[in-house]
Amino acid sequence: MPGIVGMISQRPPEDCQRLVETMVAVMQHERFYVSGTHFVPEMGLYAGWVAHENSFAASQPFLNERRDLALILSGECFLDPQTRIELHRKGHDIGTNKASWLVHLYEEQGEQFFGNLNGIFSGLLIDKRQRKAFLFNDRYGVDRIYCHETADAVYFASEAKALLRVLEQLRSFDEEGIAQYLAFGCTLASRTLFRGIDNMPGASLWSFENGTCCKRRYFSPETWETQPPLSGDDFQTQFQETFKRILPRYFGFDSRMGIALTGGLDTRMIMACRPETTDKPVCFTYSGERVDTLDARIASRIAAVCRLEHHTLHIGQDFFADFAALADRTVYLTDGCFGVLGAHEIYMNRLARQLSPMRLTGNYGGEVLRGVSTFKALPLAEGLVDARLFPAMQSSIEQVAGWKEHQITFAAFREVPWNLFGNLQAGRSQIGFRTPYMDNEMVSLAYRAPESLRRSRATALRLVKENDPLLTAIPTDRAHLGHAHGPGAFLRRSHAEITFKLDYYISEGLPNWLSPLDPLFNGIASGLGLVGLHKHLHYRCWLKQRLAAYLSGAMDEACRLGSPFWNTAFLKQMAAGHLRGRQNYLVEINVVLTLEAIERQLFRELPRKLKQLANC
C-alpha cells in the first residue's frame, strides 16, 4: 500500500534501520510498487516509503540543492501554476520531479508551509539546518498515520500492520475500538482497532527537536465555519468559477487519466467542465456480472457525447472463484477498515488499472456539497454481541448523537476519514486516486453556501447546464437534469427514486422481520426488470448461493475460535438462517468474518504472511 513508515529514536542505528526496513517490507504488496528508505542517524530519524511506480511520490526522498532538507511523502499535493512561477523566479531548481517543489516551498514559507498544502497526503520533513523534523498529515486526516510511543521511540506508519509486525506486544484488540466498530462499522477520531496504536488527527503537525516532541494542529475547521455565507446567486457564480479553476489540477498526469464515470451528478460536473488535455482520458464504470447497470448505460452515453472512450468493467467468474483470498486480502490491506464484503473494491480497481494507473472520481461530492451521509449505527441483531460490550457501544452511539457541529465539518473531517476510509484504502492499493471535492478551495467554499442550497442539487444542475448543455439531455441515475420542471419531470424522478429504493432492498435484503417475504418480493422485482438496475453488488444473494461454501466454512471457523465478542450459539443460528434465506444477516456476517480475519492475519499469521509475500 502506498505510504510511509518510520521511527524517531536514539537507540542504536542498526536496530532502527532494521526495524524500518521490516516495516517497509510489510507494505510492499504489489510488483508495481517502488520503495526506499532514508536514515539520518545523527538526528535519530529513520524513515521509509512505498509508492506506485511513476506516481507523485515515487522518486523519494525529495531534497533541496544543499541536501539539508529531506521530505518523505505519501499521497499527492497540488501546486498552483503561480506558485511554481514564483519558486522559479526566486532561483529554485524544481527540475522535472513531480514533487521536488515541496521542499523549496518549505524553504520559502517555513512552518506556514504545512497549512498551505492542498491534497490528500502525509509526510515526514527533516530540516537538518534546525536539527528538527516534522511529522504531518492532510487537514482532513484522510491519509492516515498510525503511531505508537514508547519510552525511547516514536513509531509511525501508514498501515497499522507495519507497527504490528515489529511490535509484537501490540497484537491485540482495543475493546473500545471494537465497541465503536460494532456500533458504526468504523472507529472514531484517534481510536483504532488495536491496543496501543493511535490514529493521528487531521492537520497534525508533530515537531521533534532535541529528544522532545511537540504536538499541535496547523488547521481547525472553525476557520472555515466562521466565514460569512454568500447569497444564492453569488455562491453559484463563485462555485462555478472555483470549480473550473481548480479542476485542471486533477487532470494533470504524465499518462492517460482514467475517469471513474457514473450516472450521478458529481462526475457529470467533472465532465461538463473537463479541461482540454494532450491525452484524452479514458472512462470506465463498474457494473455487475452480465447486465449493465443504469449507471453504466448512462455513463456510456455521457462518454459518447464527450467523444471519449468508455469501458464497462464487469464482475467475472474469477471473482467468485477467488473470493476467499480477495476477502482476506481486503481485510489485510486495509487493516480491517474495509470488511470481507468489500472484496470487490480490489478486484474492480485491478481491472481499472489496466486502463490507467490514475482514477479521477466524483467521490465525496455528495457528502461535502449536499449533506449525503451513510454514517449511522449498525443494525446488529440482538443476541449476537456479548453483553459486556453493550455499555461501550451505547456510549459511542450517545457520543455521536450529541455532536452538534457544522454539516460540512462532519462530512469532510469525520465521515470521509473515518467511515469512508476503508473503501478508499482498498482502491488505492491498486490505483492512484483523485477527487476535486476534497480540494481545500472547494471545501472552504462549501461552508459559504446559503441554507437554501445546502442540500440542494440546484448548484450542480446549473453548472452542468451552463458549461455543457448537451449533457443535460442525459438524465442522471435519479432522473435529474434535462426537463427539470413540470409533471413529467416529477413522474420521472419519482419512478427513479422508487426503483432505486426497490433495487436497494433486492440487493441488501428486507429487514429480518420481513425476510420470509423475500422470495415473493424478488419474484415481483425480477418480473419488472428491477434486479441489478442500480446495484451491481448482490452479496446477500451471493452468500446464499455462489458463496455459500465460503460462508459455511468461514462461520464454522469463527465458531471454532470462540471469540469473546460473540455468542457462539447465535453465530451458528445466524449462518443457517441466512443460508436458508429465512433471515437477512448481511451486516452481522460482515463484522464477524472481518474481525476473525483481522485476528487471524494480523495477530497470529503476520510473520508467516510477510515471508509468503516476500516469495511472491
Side-chain angles (χ1 to χ4, degrees):
M1 186 79 67
I4 60 174
V5 303
M7 64 182 295
I8 300 163
S9 175
Q10 294 303 320
R11 291 169 56 182
E14 58 273 18
D15 290 348
C16 298
Q17 292 175 15
R18 175 179 51 80
L19 290 171
V20 168
E21 288 168 352
T22 299
M23 288 195 282
V24 169
V26 171
M27 292 168 46
Q28 187 76 37
H29 304 304
E30 300 285 355
R31 295 186 184 276
F32 53 81
Y33 288 5
V34 294
S35 62
T37 56
H38 185 72
F39 304 140
V40 188
E42 65 272 22
M43 293 176 62
L45 298 171
Y46 307 87
W49 68 89
V50 176
H52 289 178
E53 59 188 3
N54 302 318
S55 67
F56 183 84
S59 302
Q60 303 200 51
F62 306 113
L63 305 167
N64 64 344
E65 293 90 343
R66 294 185 300 276
R67 303 180 72 84
D68 54 12
L69 291 176
L71 175 65
I72 312 300
L73 189 77
S74 168
E76 193 170 19
C77 300
F78 296 96
L79 176 69
D80 282 329
Q82 187 59 38
T83 304
R84 181 180 291 275
I85 293 171
E86 284 295 310
L87 289 172
H88 272 300
R89 187 179 63 80
K90 292 180 178 180
H92 293 285
D93 180 16
I94 296 178
T96 58
N97 192 303
K98 299 182 184 73
S100 63
W101 57 269
L102 287 162
V103 289
H104 300 295
L105 193 61
Y106 171 78
E107 285 184 293
E108 294 295 327
Q109 298 180 346
E111 293 185 25
Q112 291 183 341
F113 158 81
F114 302 100
N116 293 331
L117 294 178
N118 185 17
I120 294 175
F121 56 82
S122 60
L124 177 72
L125 191 146
I126 303 168
D127 188 341
K128 291 184 180 180
R129 305 169 308 178
Q130 301 185 65
R131 295 190 60 82
K132 196 172 184 179
F134 301 92
L135 184 64
F136 62 95
N137 61 354
D138 63 74
R139 62 185 60 192
Y140 312 103
V142 175
D143 203 274
R144 285 196 178 185
I145 300 181
Y146 294 99
C147 53
H148 175 74
E149 299 178 60
T150 65
D152 62 355
V154 174
Y155 299 81
F156 63 89
S158 299
E159 298 181 32
K161 72 183 71 63
L163 302 181
L164 296 173
R165 176 63 182 87
V166 299
L167 298 167
E168 187 175 351
Q169 69 273 22
L170 303 181
R171 294 178 201 164
S172 61
F173 283 118
D174 179 90
E175 287 213 359
E176 187 170 342
I178 291 294
Q180 292 176 357
Y181 174 77
L182 294 176
F184 293 105
C186 64
T187 54
L188 312 178
S190 61
R191 184 70 60 177
T192 74
L193 291 171
F194 311 105
R195 184 175 299 160
I197 297 180
D198 294 322
N199 174 31
M200 281 180 65
S204 285
L205 182 59
W206 292 10
S207 57
F208 299 87
E209 186 177 18
N210 298 323
T212 63
C213 176
C214 175
K215 300 177 183 180
R216 62 189 192 275
R217 307 279 286 278
Y218 64 79
F219 179 82
S220 169
E222 292 178 2
T223 304
W224 286 343
E225 292 173 352
T226 54
Q227 298 176 102
L230 297 168
S231 68
D233 285 343
D234 285 347
F235 175 77
Q236 296 200 53
T237 299
Q238 195 163 329
F239 181 88
Q240 287 208 40
E241 184 277 325
T242 302
F243 191 76
K244 289 190 287 185
R245 178 168 48 78
I246 67 102
L247 194 58
R249 300 172 185 169
Y250 296 87
F251 275 81
F253 194 56
D254 291 343
S255 58
R256 188 162 67 157
M257 172 68 67
I259 301 178
L261 190 56
T262 71
L265 277 172
D266 299 314
T267 53
R268 191 75 59 94
M269 287 193 284
I270 291 172
M271 298 300 282
C273 300
R274 67 197 182 281
E276 290 295 327
T277 56
T278 304
D279 292 316
K280 283 192 172 185
V282 58
C283 302
F284 55 84
T285 307
Y286 302 145
S287 193
E289 295 179 73
R290 292 175 294 275
V291 178
D292 285 351
T293 59
L294 188 58
D295 242 9
R297 284 179 260 162
I298 292 173
S300 178
R301 292 175 61 188
I302 294 167
V305 167
C306 299
R307 298 183 179 181
L308 295 177
E309 181 182 342
H310 178 265
H311 298 259
T312 300
L313 304 181
H314 291 280
I315 292 176
Q317 291 299 315
D318 55 335
F319 172 77
F320 300 99
D322 299 336
F323 183 80
L326 281 168
D328 272 358
R329 191 158 181 78
T330 300
V331 174
Y332 180 76
L333 292 184
T334 66
D335 298 312
C337 292
F338 211 36
V340 297
L341 301 190
H344 58 278
E345 197 66 26
I346 289 176
Y347 178 89
M348 300 304 286
N349 281 284
R350 278 178 180 169
L351 297 179
R353 186 177 178 83
Q354 296 173 19
L355 300 173
S356 171
M358 181 62 69
R359 175 172 63 118
L360 175 62
T361 84
N363 283 17
Y364 317 136
E367 286 81 4
V368 171
L369 301 179
R370 296 186 297 280
V372 175
S373 178
T374 56
F375 191 100
K376 59 184 178 181
L378 297 182
L380 295 181
E382 185 178 350
L384 171 65
V385 179
D386 188 89
R388 66 188 174 81
L389 288 170
F390 289 167
M393 291 172 62
Q394 187 59 36
S395 175
S396 296
I397 292 170
E398 291 172 358
Q399 176 190 354
V400 172
W403 287 344
K404 305 295 181 186
E405 58 186 359
H406 198 288
Q407 167 190 313
I408 300 169
T409 297
F410 177 81
F413 295 87
R414 309 284 185 263
E415 174 143 21
V416 172
W418 302 348
N419 188 43
L420 303 180
F421 171 77
N423 180 287
L424 170 65
Q425 191 76 334
R428 288 174 78 195
S429 72
Q430 305 302 310
I431 192 170
F433 172 89
R434 289 179 179 175
T435 175
Y437 296 108
M438 292 297 284
D439 187 279
N440 290 349
E441 291 189 63
M442 290 305 303
V443 180
S444 174
L445 180 59
Y447 280 88
R448 304 194 67 186
E451 197 63 40
S452 60
L453 294 177
R454 282 275 163 83
R455 296 183 179 274
S456 170
R457 298 178 175 88
T459 301
L461 296 173
R462 178 172 164 179
L463 180 141
V464 174
K465 182 178 180 181
E466 293 185 5
N467 288 277
D468 195 336
L470 291 177
L471 293 182
T472 63
I474 305 172
T476 69
D477 58 341
R478 309 296 276 272
H480 291 279
L481 299 176
H483 303 290
H485 303 288
F490 173 77
L491 290 174
R492 283 191 293 273
R493 286 196 295 270
S494 298
H495 176 266
E497 291 296 327
I498 291 169
T499 57
F500 184 89
K501 294 293 186 184
L502 287 175
D503 198 19
Y504 170 83
Y505 282 117
I506 296 165
S507 174
E508 302 296 323
L510 295 171
N512 263 329
W513 64 280
L514 285 176
S515 290
L517 298 178
D518 240 7
L520 175 63
F521 183 76
N522 285 343
I524 295 172
S526 297
L528 295 174
L530 300 181
V531 177
L533 182 63
H534 292 274
K535 300 288 184 179
H536 67 281
L537 303 172
H538 301 284
Y539 280 109
R540 180 183 64 89
C541 296
W542 292 342
L543 288 171
K544 291 191 301 180
Q545 300 162 4
R546 306 170 78 167
L547 299 176
Y550 164 80
L551 175 58
S552 295
M555 200 60 73
D556 285 346
E557 179 66 9
C559 292
R560 186 186 67 79
L561 291 172
S563 167
F565 304 136
W566 321 118
N567 295 320
T568 305
F570 189 88
L571 293 187
K572 296 176 180 177
Q573 169 195 329
M574 181 176 78
H578 193 93
L579 287 167
R580 288 195 301 266
R582 295 181 181 177
Q583 276 102 18
N584 175 18
Y585 288 119
L586 197 62
V587 175
E588 292 83 355
I589 289 168
N590 189 50
V591 297
V592 169
L593 297 188
T594 297
L595 290 182
E596 185 277 327
I598 294 172
E599 195 276 337
R600 171 168 42 85
Q601 297 186 97
L602 299 186
F603 297 166
R604 289 187 280 125
E605 297 179 355
L606 189 57
R608 180 162 55 87
K609 185 172 278 287
L610 179 59
K611 189 176 294 184
Q612 290 171 345
L613 289 171
N615 293 330
C616 289

